[in-house]
Structure formats: C-alpha cells, structure tokens
Amino acid sequence: MRTTFDAVTLELLWTRLISVVDEAAAALLRTSFSTIVRESHDFACVLADARGHSLVQATDGVPSFLCTVPRTIRHFLDEYPPETLAPGDILATNDIWMGTGHLPDITVAKPIFLHGRLVGFAGSAAHAPDIGGRIRTAESREVFEEGLQIPPMKVMRAGVLDDTFARFLRKNTRVPDQVMGDLFAQFTALDLMERRLLALMAEHGLDSIEALADEIQGRSERATRAAIRQVPDGLYRAEVLTDGLAEPIRLVVALRKEGDAIHADYAGTDPQVPRGINVCFSYTFAYTAFALKAALCPEVPNNEGAFRPITVDAPLGCILNSTPPAAGANRALTGHFLPPLILSALAQAIPRKVIAGVGSPLWSLNYAGTRDDGSSVADHFFMNGGYGASAERDGPNVLSWPSNVSAAPIEMIEQNSGFRVHHRRLRSGSGGRGAHRGGTGQEWLFENRSARPVAITFMAERTKLEAAAPGLAGGEAGAPGAVLIDGVLVDPKRQHILEPGSRVALRTPGGGGFGPPAARDAAAEATDREDGLLEGDAA
C-alpha cells in the first residue's frame, strides 16, 4: 500500500480529486429539477475518507455545507457502522442537529467500496424546494411544524430505492416531482464520485485513500497553522445585535488566539427562542471556521485538516447551539451574522485583512399556493445585499456573503410562478460611505398575477437601524433593508397572504464603508454620482 507521495504525483492526484467533485457538482446541477438548485446553486458535493473526514469539496459548494456534510457522514457511521454497509447503499437525513440546521436541506452519502473494503464516502447536501409543514418561516415554534423529518436511514439498499421512503416523501411535500427529481440528481452525483474515485485508485494502484487523505489533510493543517501564527496572540471580543423578534438578539464572541490555534467562544450569547431562527452547533462551527479561513488563508484547500486548528464553544441551549425541539427553518437569519462577527473581532488584530459589515443575512422570498388547475406550487427566490468595503477597495454591489447562492433569473421566476417582476435594480444610496464605499443593495418589485392568493414568507434581516451593516475604521453603516406589501412596511418574520394584484417590494441592505468618508477619492465620488449610486434616501 502506498504511504508516501512525491510532489508531482500528489499534485496530479489532488487536481484529479478536484475534477471528480466538480464534475459531480455539474452533473447534479444539470439533472436537478428545482430553481433553488438549478439556478441558485444551493448545494454541495464532498468526498470524504472512510472515517468521514473531508478530503475534497466541489469548488462552488455552499460554505456551510462543506463543513456539515462530513459531520453528517460521521453521524451516519454512528448509526450504520462499516460492517452494516454494502455497495449501492445510500444514506440520507435532514435531521437539524445531524445536518445543516434546517429541514429543507437533505444530506445524502454513499459508501465507496473496493475489494469489499470501505474506502471512502461520496456526500452531498442540497436544499429541497419543499419539505412539507409550514412554508419556511421564522414563526414556527418547534421543529415539528417545519416539515417532514428524515432520520438517518438507508434510502437505497444495494442500488434499490426504498419505496416506502419515496412514498412518504412524495406524500409530505407540495411539489413531489421536484423534490424527488433533485434527490435523484444528488444520487447521480454520488454515483459519479464513486466511479471516478475508483477509476483514479485503479490508475494509480491505490487500494486505500487513507494515506492520501492523511497527506492532503496534514498539508492543509500545517498551512492553516502557519497562517494563524501571523496573527498576534490575544483575546479579541465582538458582539452584534440582530433584528431579532420583539427584541433584538445579542450574539457575542471571544476569539482567543494562541500560537497556531484559534478558539471561538460564544458565551454570553442570548438563549434559543421559540421561533425558527435558532442555529444548531454544526452550522455555528461551519460559519465560524469559514470566516476565519477566508480572512487568514483562503488559498488553503478546504478539508478536515484546514479546520483542525479551529475550535468552537457555544453554551448548550443558546441560540447558536440549540437543543430539540427548537425550530430552525430560518437559522440563516442568525447564523449569517457569525462571519461578520468573527471579522469584527479579527479587525482588532488585522484591520487591513478584513471587510466591513455585509448586507446579509441572505434575503429570500418563499411562497406556496395552488395553480389554476388545482396543483400545488412552491418555490424560493434568493436576493443579495451589498458587500462590505475593505482597506483596498469598495464593496461589490449585490454580492452574497457568507453564502454564495445565486439569484434566480427573472425569466425563470416568471415562468415557474404566478409572479411578475416589475423591476430588479440597484438600490441607490444604500452603500455605507467611507474612503471605500460599501456595496449597494437591490430593490425588487413582485406582483401576484395569478387568480389565487399565495402564502409568502421572507428571509430578511438588518431591517432596523441598530442592526445595519457596520462600517469599519471610520466608515459609515450601510442602509437597513425593508419589506413592503402594497406600499406598507410589514414584519418580515411573519407569514403573509398576497392577494391577486398585490405587490411585494424588497429592499436589501447595503454594506458598510471602510475608512473616513472625507478620505474618499474625488474621482471615485464623482463616478458614484454619475452611476446613480449616491441618489435617493439611504434610510
């Protein structure tokens, strides 16, 4: 069994592994049914070793999934030890505390065998267009309201689909053809990863990938530790207020950097709430690790080794480490504050390597109703706020972060729903002023052109002044967002019924500026004015 790899062979193997997961991601994308996967790319593909430790991920995967999928695989191994698995098996779950933190995300994994021995796992997570229950809303009080829960189970045994599982899933979702179509697209990606990995192993005479995984993960760990050592030792604290519910929710972090390791402690964060904005610990770890790695060593491959120098604590029962049966449908409304919070703490040590506040969490519109023929319809459309400015440049306009999902094209929205999109445009004046300007948000105007009312909910945060994306180093905050129905401001954390002919306006937040506004270059200011980015009332 090969246990060492020269530099050339290792590079060849590494690039081949990347091509395996990227090809699988492309296959999933092209065979999917829903706009949330096909157009918004809300999914990830990962290869893990036989221990469930991530080895390589698809290039464009959603950041949170890339940390959660390997953890879910390890939960599968707890339920199904290697001796209980067989070629052709596929495992699945959407358990909040074993997966990504909310039920619409279905995580699947396929054990890969060579000569009867488990050598690794192909894994994928994807956001289903519907999972039953209430449409995705912060109003849900416990997980039982939020849809069908899939315990860790074999949904395919030796290549044969569990018909009972398929019937239960179809019966409990509003758009069963889309849900099953996306799930089969995930299966396609798993099959492709399996075939390509086994072909790679045969070509290079490998009967295991354990040594290869150790080498890749070890190199990533050493590179991450080297980057961490460049940060001064110390304790760096930060806190942020979210819009919350009736009252804002406080998130608190203390980053302790010692030598080549960083520990994030969320003690002092508010407790979990009886609404669907709670975050499970795996999601908290994922976005903590992502933020630290993005700031310190973005070029290091994302795998188990890159995250070993990072540890995280959050008090059990706080909103960042929820306990059953806490609701979590809109956990991103809380969890997406974590990367900006981490960067705010890091700014005390490395201010020129971080960005100002971002106009996230990611915004979206969810809807469910019936078509004129009586069939059910449900979908989910994303939209982004403005990115934070940095010491080097203005914040890009309308750029998602920390999630990297895309906005569906208007043509697809209008084709698949009863909505007409009257406009989608940059939101003038929303970027925070500074030596470098924060990115602008956007404005959408939807009209319900169907003959029937539809239920709509939103993911929307930073709608209050105290939660606006903060500036950095003297930069100003971005403008808060707003949700209006027929011209009237509404609570975005409640479900609403949109009558035929009614209109929804969504104004996403702007990013924070960097540096004092008086230091902005006059030519850049003139260009902003010419482009119409400074017009309008930012508030």
Side-chain angles (χ1 to χ4, degrees), residues 27 48 73 86 98 114 216 244 267-269 290 304 320 403 411 419 426 434 451:
I73 291 173
M98 294 184 184
L114 179 63
I216 290 172
T269 290
F290 167 70
E304 190 75 22
L320 298 178
S403 184
E411 293 83 358
F419 290 115
L426 292 178

Side-chain angles (χ1 to χ4, degrees), residues 51-70:
R51 299 162 294 190
H53 295 162
S54 61
L55 177 62
V56 63
Q57 64 180 46
T59 304
D60 295 329
V62 173
S64 62
F65 292 175
L66 303 172
C67 274
T68 62
V69 169

Side-chain angles (χ1 to χ4, degrees), residues 363-438:
W363 280 42
S364 69
L365 182 150
N366 310 267
Y367 78 95
T370 54
R371 297 186 176 92
D372 291 341
D373 64 3
S375 61
S376 296
V377 60
D379 215 332
H380 189 177
F381 309 128
F382 292 111
M383 53 213 66
N384 306 320
Y387 199 74
S390 70
E392 305 298 330
R393 65 174 188 174
D394 292 346
N397 301 324
V398 191
L399 179 64
S400 174
W401 195 82
S403 184
N404 60 344
V405 298
S406 304
I410 290 173
E411 293 83 358
M412 295 304 301
I413 293 174
E414 294 188 336
Q415 176 178 318
N416 295 329
S417 73
F419 290 115
R420 178 178 178 183
V421 180
H422 285 272
H423 62 245
R424 175 192 176 191
R425 62 195 183 199
L426 292 178
R427 185 184 173 201
S428 298
S430 58
R433 297 175 64 241
H436 294 287
R437 173 185 49 76

Side-chain angles (χ1 to χ4, degrees), residues 35 156 161 182 241 244 253 288 295 299 309 352 359 380 389 451 464 538:
T35 57
M156 196 169 283
L161 180 67
D182 282 0
L241 291 177
V253 70
T288 303
E299 73 286 349
R352 299 190 67 82
H380 189 177
K464 300 176 182 177

